[in-house]
Amino acid sequence: MEDTANLVVYRNGEIIRNTHEGVRFVSQNSFSFVVPCTMTLMELQNGLCQSMENGTLMRVSRILYRNPVVVFGGLIQFDTIPITDEASMQNMFEIHRQTYMRHPQIELYVEFEAEEAVAVQNDIDVNDDIAAVYEGMNSDSEEDFEATYEAGDEDEDGDVGVEAAVENVVVRPSSSQPMGVPPFMCELDLDAMHAPEFPEYANRGIVDPEDGEFRIGMEYRSRKSVVAAIRSFTISRGVDYDVFESEPQTFYAKCKMYGRGCDWLIRASLIRRKGCWEIRRYNGRHTCTIGTISQDHSKLDSDTVAEAIRPLVESDPSIKVKSIIAEVQSRFNYTISYRKAWLAKQKSVALVFGDWEESYQALPWWLSVMVQKIPGSVVQIETRPLYNGNEEAQGVKILHRVFWSFNPCIRAFRHCKPLVQVDGTHLYGKYKGTLLVAVAQDGNQNIVPIAFALVEGETADVWHFFLRNLREYVVRKDGVGMISDRHESIRAAVNRSGGDWQPPRAWWMFCIRHIGSNFLRAFKVPHLQKLVVNIGYSRTVEEYNTNYKRLEERGEAYARWCDAIGLRHWVLAFDEGHRWGHMTTNLVECINSVLKGARNLSVLALVRATYYRLNELFTRKSAESHERKRAGFTFSAFAQQRIEASMQQAGNIVVHRFDRRNEVFEVRETTTEKVLVVDLARRTCDCRRGVPIPQSTVSPVGPLLYPCPMQNCPVM
């Protein structure tokens, strides 16, 4: 390997960008041979030409190297590097030496040109009148040319049939920016990776700012850019055109009123020797009556709108469809349909963040690489077979559900409160589904997402899948509390858990806000909803009895409805401390809000968003913690505030330890001489005999760090 390299050559094929591995070369005429690593550019070009063996004198017009970039440890992503001189040749061989073990071959995309054709073209004086040159190259009369082609039909989205049919024909590799730059490539030199192949033409193709008209000889860097310019011109003028020729090397269009009061036509062609597209024929201004064609415009199709709104989607993938309609109306002075705006948004999201369908195929691969990069992370995937009618398609599986948790999240939960909040939220992209999230909270009141799942909806099987994996891989300690809504599918999953989410291993509790909403839905009595919520917030048995009696007096049916819930599921006074003061699922709903934009993305982009946003979260919090330790603090900011507040409240209290082993203390209030006994082992206080102190008020540092929540307790 040190002296030679295996070259794989893709001849005049196609470059496919934005695949899950970056750039990919495709050709039906690929071949390979071995070269020395000391080869010069001229030797390479000569060797490539000799390998053609087609009897025609050829020369190499372009060489692109498929450059492997190592990310994610062992993961390879590819971009392209043009091979134009000896320096780029040596750079290619040096990269090959460094990445040989991961990618043992050099892949080149090569374009050839016939020497004779180039010689003839070079004889043309480029300073000659371009219109005359055009006439010499195209001897057919205008009438004969028109008779050969017919305008294509328009589809329901306003796309012209002929034009759309060849839109995917690749003449030269696209020099436009990629549909989406994967986050794991953000540290690369994106300008170098995705620079236009013909930078000298990067700013060409903008119509004359003086009058907005095209000119013969104007140059564009790609077929796509010249068609976009013609469309933009047409839309802004309130006119329309028919496509008469749409070929890989030519685009020819005429006004819809051509021959009926307007002579407007335009023809653009690919000029290979210059590597650009050029306006070769233009008849000048429209002479038809200019006016608004309709409320919409046939050339303002979803692809055009997708490109126009791309900056908006990049900054906010959750942008509303009605906002897109307003943006298009403001920019083009046309009001497009809701359907077209929705389609444009999905296409724009795919342009920026990756293809919707391909993301399903790439997701398992990406997750497997992520697990290799972060050992200890967990991924569980369930698939389903694909059926053609009643027959199962062999070797084809459909992604059904996926659960994942990152190792830093798993380790972080060991240091959080033994409490999780779980909830589901809908996806709003092209394909529907549900994102399930489990969230915890650390000792500094920071929200810590600990697990995710992409599922088809909120069913009993789905929640069983999520809670089973959550219990097995993440929430492994006993005595944990779980807060959720009262969804029947969660109840069924808890019952199927085999005790994993039931006492004494776990305590399942309900969000009090959902309790209030359920009550209102059941009885339609808004004035009693607050009373029901107050029952849930009751901190003592006496407070609960008072609120419950008030509700019962207003209707026995209301009280019976509350009885059916179960006290320990929703009343703070009976939670045995497992709520840790949390009455709602607000933590997980905060995460849903953070992921709001990501929920409009493809599944792969969504999963990557959780990875990179959590990476940013852990990086920042780690820096904050280390800075606090360097400043000499022992406790987190939140704990320090609680300690200081408790010490101020305990200024008139003296504590004596009676039983060191059993953690029994005598608490004496100096102003009243009142003496009570606090038993931390049993979590009881004499201020309310037999009523347990919630565990959230017990501190491992001492009993005075947190006030006893019981009314009239001297420890408060």
Side-chain angles (χ1 to χ4, degrees):
M1 178 269 154
E2 294 148 359
D3 300 318
T4 61
N6 183 37
L7 254 62
V8 179
V9 179
Y10 298 84
R11 172 197 171 192
N12 289 342
E14 178 180 351
I15 297 180
I16 302 178
R17 300 182 183 275
N18 310 303
T19 69
H20 68 273
E21 60 179 13
V23 176
R24 184 160 61 94
F25 295 159
V26 176
S27 173
Q28 296 181 348
N29 302 308
S30 61
F31 55 90
S32 62
F33 55 92
V34 177
V35 299
C37 291
T38 56
M39 172 178 273
T40 66
L41 177 60
M42 183 173 292
E43 291 171 342
L44 174 62
Q45 291 173 332
N46 291 337
L48 291 171
C49 291
Q50 292 172 9
S51 65
M52 297 299 291
E53 298 180 355
N54 59 359
T56 304
L57 183 60
M58 306 291 290
R59 74 176 184 89
V60 175
S61 61
R62 188 169 179 235
I63 303 176
L64 288 179
Y65 168 48
R66 188 170 180 244
N67 174 36
V69 180
V70 180
V71 294
F72 264 176
L75 173 62
I76 293 271
Q77 286 281 301
F78 294 93
D79 58 16
T80 59
I81 294 179
I83 305 301
T84 57
D85 52 27
E86 299 305 325
S88 56
M89 277 285 290
Q90 293 309 310
N91 182 44
M92 176 184 73
F93 285 125
E94 181 59 31
I95 294 173
H96 177 62
R97 292 186 187 97
Q98 296 174 5
T99 59
Y100 172 76
M101 297 304 295
R102 297 183 178 91
H103 192 65
Q105 59 192 19
I106 294 177
E107 295 181 81
L108 299 178
Y109 177 87
V110 182
E111 291 182 349
F112 296 88
E113 287 185 353
E115 282 287 355
E116 294 177 358
V118 174
V120 170
Q121 290 183 1
N122 286 342
D123 288 338
I124 298 176
D125 186 352
V126 294
N127 295 319
D128 287 345
D129 180 71
I130 297 179
V133 173
Y134 172 83
E135 292 294 339
M137 294 176 63
N138 300 274
S139 58
D140 293 342
S141 68
E142 183 180 319
E143 290 74 13
D144 292 340
F145 186 81
E146 293 169 13
T148 309
Y149 298 93
E150 296 181 359
D153 296 327
E154 294 176 5
D155 62 24
E156 61 178 354
D157 193 29
D159 297 314
V160 177
V162 173
E163 181 180 345
V166 297
E167 195 67 39
N168 294 326
V169 175
V170 178
V171 180
R172 283 186 178 272
S174 171
S175 58
S176 60
Q177 292 298 314
M179 289 186 292
V181 179
F184 46 77
M185 297 174 67
C186 62
E187 294 183 359
L188 301 179
D189 185 354
L190 298 182
D191 292 333
M193 286 172 55
H194 301 295
E197 278 81 355
F198 309 106
E200 64 270 28
Y201 302 114
N203 297 319
R204 304 285 185 94
I206 302 175
V207 295
D208 190 334
E210 294 181 1
D211 58 7
E213 290 292 330
F214 292 98
R215 297 284 185 272
I216 292 176
M218 292 180 69
E219 296 171 346
Y220 296 79
R221 66 176 183 265
S222 67
R223 180 186 186 280
K224 183 177 180 181
S225 61
V226 71
V227 172
I230 296 173
R231 284 190 175 189
S232 179
F233 170 86
T234 301
I235 294 168
S236 65
R237 294 297 193 280
V239 293
D240 205 352
Y241 64 82
D242 287 326
V243 178
F244 277 79
E245 181 180 4
S246 185
E247 298 294 337
Q249 301 182 36
T250 304
F251 184 82
Y252 180 42
K254 292 184 178 182
C255 177
K256 276 187 174 292
M257 299 297 294
Y258 190 87
R260 292 176 291 167
C262 185
D263 294 329
W264 186 92
L265 62 82
I266 189 170
R267 182 170 183 174
S269 300
L270 173 65
I271 310 301
R272 286 190 174 273
R273 71 175 184 277
K274 299 171 68 175
C276 69
W277 281 68
E278 185 177 290
I279 303 297
R280 306 305 301 272
R281 183 160 191 177
Y282 188 63
N283 275 11
R285 299 176 182 275
H286 282 269
T287 55
C288 56
T289 302
I290 298 178
T292 302
I293 300 173
S294 64
Q295 188 182 23
D296 203 346
H297 195 292
S298 65
K299 296 303 181 290
L300 191 58
D301 60 6
S302 58
D303 291 320
T304 304
V305 176
E307 283 290 350
I309 65 172
R310 182 169 177 167
L312 301 178
V313 171
E314 284 179 336
S315 60
D316 182 16
S318 63
I319 182 173
K320 301 293 185 183
V321 173
K322 63 181 180 181
S323 299
I324 294 174
I325 295 174
E327 172 68 17
V328 172
Q329 206 284 330
S330 172
R331 184 165 176 176
F332 298 102
N333 202 27
Y334 288 96
T335 303
I336 61 174
S337 66
Y338 187 95
R339 176 182 179 275
K340 184 181 289 187
W342 185 88
L343 283 172
K345 178 183 176 180
Q346 308 314 316
K347 291 180 178 180
S348 189
V349 169
L351 287 171
V352 176
F353 299 100
D355 183 78
W356 292 96
E357 288 75 18
E358 288 182 1
S359 70
Y360 283 92
Q361 196 170 15
L363 180 60
W365 163 83
W366 190 91
L367 287 171
S368 67
V369 173
M370 184 274 295
V371 172
Q372 295 175 21
K373 177 65 177 177
I374 314 177
S377 299
V378 174
V379 173
Q380 292 293 313
I381 298 177
E382 286 188 0
T383 60
R384 296 167 58 183
L386 174 66
Y387 287 93
N388 294 324
N390 294 325
E391 252 183 61
E392 180 179 342
Q394 297 300 319
V396 180
K397 298 292 183 182
I398 299 174
L399 181 67
H400 187 37
R401 302 168 186 147
V402 57
F403 170 95
W404 72 97
S405 180
F406 306 110
N407 180 257
C409 301
I410 297 173
R411 290 188 288 111
F413 180 70
R414 302 169 191 167
H415 307 281
C416 293
K417 302 172 185 177
L419 177 78
V420 293
Q421 297 182 13
V422 298
D423 198 9
T425 181
H426 297 295
L427 303 183
Y428 299 130
K430 184 176 181 180
Y431 300 110
K432 305 305 178 184
T434 301
L435 174 69
L436 303 183
V437 184
V439 173
Q441 190 180 53
D442 67 13
N444 200 33
Q445 303 297 90
N446 293 314
I447 298 174
V448 183
I450 57 175
F452 304 87
L454 281 171
V455 295
E456 68 274 21
E458 294 192 61
T459 66
D461 286 341
V462 160
W463 275 108
H464 177 66
F465 166 79
F466 182 67
L467 294 180
R468 183 189 72 236
N469 286 296
L470 180 66
R471 193 66 164 131
E472 181 175 355
Y473 298 108
V474 186
V475 184
R476 307 183 73 174
K477 63 176 72 172
D478 285 345
V480 69
M482 179 178 71
I483 301 178
S484 73
D485 59 30
R486 296 177 62 222
H487 205 290
E488 283 302 317
S489 58
I490 303 180
R491 182 185 302 277
V494 169
N495 291 336
R496 288 174 56 186
S497 68
D500 285 347
W501 292 103
Q502 295 173 324
R505 296 201 62 199
W507 276 258
W508 179 37
M509 297 161 291
F510 302 141
C511 169
I512 192 63
R513 185 167 56 249
H514 285 90
I515 294 286
S517 299
N518 295 157
F519 180 84
L520 182 61
R521 191 178 300 113
F523 294 106
K524 308 294 189 300
V525 282
H527 65 284
L528 293 181
Q529 184 182 23
K530 185 176 180 180
L531 179 56
V532 171
V533 172
N534 287 339
I535 293 175
Y537 273 100
S538 300
R539 300 174 62 134
T540 66
V541 174
E542 287 81 356
E543 187 179 341
Y544 164 76
N545 288 335
T546 300
N547 288 325
Y548 180 83
K549 186 175 181 180
R550 290 174 58 198
L551 182 67
E552 193 174 33
E553 288 171 352
R554 286 160 174 76
E556 187 175 345
Y558 306 144
R560 300 291 81 79
W561 185 89
C562 292
D563 292 342
I565 300 175
L567 288 176
R568 69 175 178 82
H569 287 299
W570 72 296
V571 181
L572 184 59
F574 299 95
D575 76 334
E576 301 182 27
H578 294 294
R579 278 187 178 271
W580 287 76
H582 294 271
M583 294 299 297
T584 67
T585 55
N586 63 313
L587 298 182
V588 70
E589 286 166 8
C590 286
I591 292 298
N592 288 340
S593 177
V594 170
L595 292 173
K596 182 179 179 182
R599 287 186 283 149
N600 291 266
L601 305 179
S602 62
V603 292
L604 177 58
L606 171 59
V607 174
R608 290 188 300 178
T610 64
Y611 174 88
Y612 288 100
R613 291 181 184 181
L614 288 183
N615 177 73
E616 180 68 16
L617 172 67
F618 277 83
T619 301
R620 290 187 181 183
K621 295 305 178 182
S622 176
E624 292 175 8
S625 299
H626 283 87
E627 183 61 32
R628 187 168 180 81
K629 288 179 68 177
R630 280 194 293 269
F633 291 96
T634 302
F635 303 105
S636 66
F638 174 77
Q640 188 70 32
Q641 292 170 2
R642 294 295 298 269
I643 290 172
E644 293 172 358
S646 296
M647 293 299 291
Q648 290 178 358
Q649 292 179 5
N652 63 340
I653 293 176
V654 177
V655 178
H656 298 284
R657 178 175 291 183
F658 279 174
D659 189 333
R660 184 181 184 89
R661 175 178 299 178
N662 294 322
E663 296 182 311
V664 177
F665 301 84
E666 179 191 79
V667 180
R668 181 186 299 273
E669 187 178 8
T670 56
T671 56
T672 63
E673 294 299 321
K674 189 173 184 178
V675 179
L676 295 175
V677 176
V678 175
D679 188 337
L680 290 184
R682 291 196 232 169
R683 293 186 292 148
T684 60
C685 175
D686 279 355
C687 66
R688 289 292 183 272
R689 286 188 182 274
V691 179
I693 302 174
Q695 190 176 10
S696 58
T697 64
V698 180
S699 167
V701 179
L704 299 182
L705 298 185
Y706 298 97
C708 177
M710 306 308 167
Q711 292 179 344
N712 304 319
C713 176
V715 184
M716 292 187 67

